[in-house]
Amino acid sequence: IDHFGFNSVKTFNQRYLIANEYWKKDGGSILFYTGNEGDIVWFCNNTGFMWDVAQELKAMLVFAEHRYYGESLPFGKNSFKDSRHLNYLTSEQALADFAELIRHLQETIPGVKNQPVIAIGGSYGGMLAAWFRMKYPHMVVGALAASAPIWQFEDLVPCGVFMKIVTSDFKRSGPYCSETIRKSWNVINQLSTTSRGLQYLTEVLHLCTPLTPRDVQHLKDWIAETWVNLAMVDYPYPSSFLQPLPAWPIKVVCQYLKNPNVSDSLMIQNIFQALNIYYNYSGEAQCLNVSTTTTSNLGSLGWSYQACTEIVMPFCTNGIDDMFEPHAWNLKEFSDECFKQWGVRPSPSWITTMYGGKNINSHTNIVFSNGELDPWSGGGVTEDLTDTLVAFTISEGAHHLDLRASNALDPISVQLARTLETKHVKNWIRDFYRSGLQH
Ligand SMILES: *[C@@H]1O[C@H](CO)[C@@H](O)[C@H](O)[C@H]1NC(C)=O
Ligand SMILES: *[C@@H]1O[C@H](CO)[C@@H](O)[C@H](O)[C@H]1NC(C)=O
Ligand SMILES: *[C@@H]1O[C@H](CO)[C@@H](O)[C@H](O)[C@H]1NC(C)=O
């Protein structure tokens, strides 16, 4: 009996996408994208790798939407109403949905039953792909977990590693770039002490709404998140994942951030030019809105709830190893925020309890890939754990670059990673057919 007093199983509609253009009933395979915190169509359109290998693997492609995202809303528009309605939003439930969907496909599409299924995902979806193989090894023969920070929990990795990687991306992309950003926070703080300064910030940064003393921290958080997002999507060609951007966007941004020693007013003008690359590359922005940093395809409400319950990732900065204002990880403060917003408190050790933390070597057939430019690589598996839990790092890769469609501007490092990933997937498929494990 659940909190609503129902004593029977309630159902909801889960959206999934299928492409079977290259699927062969004879010797084929099923590539199953374990959907993450957003609209599945958008993930589908940004996971060209699966389309690129479909023919070679004679694969059917399946993209499963995660519950509470996109159109897969268990309680329709009431899904985010309160913690009672959100109570069914967990990674475990999402994995169970994937298992149910695979059963459904096996039972309804002739030929699926006798084929190997491979889980594929990126970011949180990569974590789900890895966890799916761990918890449902009878459902999938292996998993490709791209940019999956399965260790960004508790103290499995230092809390500062994420922002340190963001900083090194800016450092390598232009002279004095990270130093300029490090200095900019104080300039904002100084200007924020007077109403003339606040007005200057509003005007020069082209903010949609006038800055008040209460919004200053929010403004700085928004700017910091912009630098973080740029680090995630620092791709070698023009792309449009979180926002439309030029090739190597951090290099472009850093052209405006070359000098930490300029006057306060010039510093703010330069920061604006840099932000404008991220928010106005299309030339369509009327003003800069400090309430948004990414595409609305990402489900920020659902994610905020998940971060407040299971997916508790400690982050911190010290202003020395990174270019941000110092901020210690404070679980109490975080928990109070969660309680204020959702009426729930986080369980910071649950993910490790549930999925094993670093104690996962008894599992098999998972490929972990990480880009060295990607801040999430700090919480990822970047070295082989066993013969069948293997890791690839992509030296010029940002956030799951390997899952994107191949591009003429791809660096060799990502081409190589894709080749090795495909080789592992083919081996799992071969082993499946050799073992006679078909149903
Ligand atoms: C900025 O000023 C500091 C202190 O005067 C100096 O050490 C540094 O070289 C200057 N940086 C640039 C890029 O001019
Ligand atoms: C965005 O770019 C367009 C074209 O360059 C420009 O007219 C507009 O003012 C810019 N928006 C902002 C917020 O600066
Ligand atoms: C800023 O973004 C928020 C959240 O997406 C939206 O509700 C609001 O209307 C936007 N404000 C302006 C002035 O565009």
Side-chain angles (χ1 to χ4, degrees), residues 267-295:
M267 169 70 89
I268 298 304
Q269 290 171 38
N270 290 341
I271 291 286
F272 168 71
Q273 297 292 346
L275 293 170
N276 207 37
I277 296 295
Y278 184 79
Y279 290 107
N280 195 23
Y281 188 59
S282 64
E284 282 164 16
Q286 307 284 321
C287 55
L288 302 193
N289 186 341
V290 298
S291 300
T292 59
T293 56
T294 60
T295 159

Side-chain angles (χ1 to χ4, degrees), residues 24 122 138 148 186 191 199 264-265 282 293 298 328 394 421 437:
K24 293 278 186 294
H138 52 293
N186 223 3
L191 285 167
Q199 199 184 344
D264 287 3
S265 53
S282 64
T293 56
L298 277 170
I394 302 161
E421 287 160 11
L437 276 176

Side-chain angles (χ1 to χ4, degrees), residues 176 183 258-261:
Y176 300 104
K183 247 187 152 175
K258 285 181 186 162
N259 191 346
N261 292 340

Side-chain angles (χ1 to χ4, degrees), residues 64 106 115 131 163 177 184 210 249 272 275 283 307 317 325 356 368 371 373 401 411:
Q106 288 169 338
Q115 296 207 345
W131 293 339
M163 290 304 222
C177 194
S184 69
F272 168 71
L275 293 170
T317 48
E325 288 189 301
F368 295 97
L373 305 180
L401 174 64

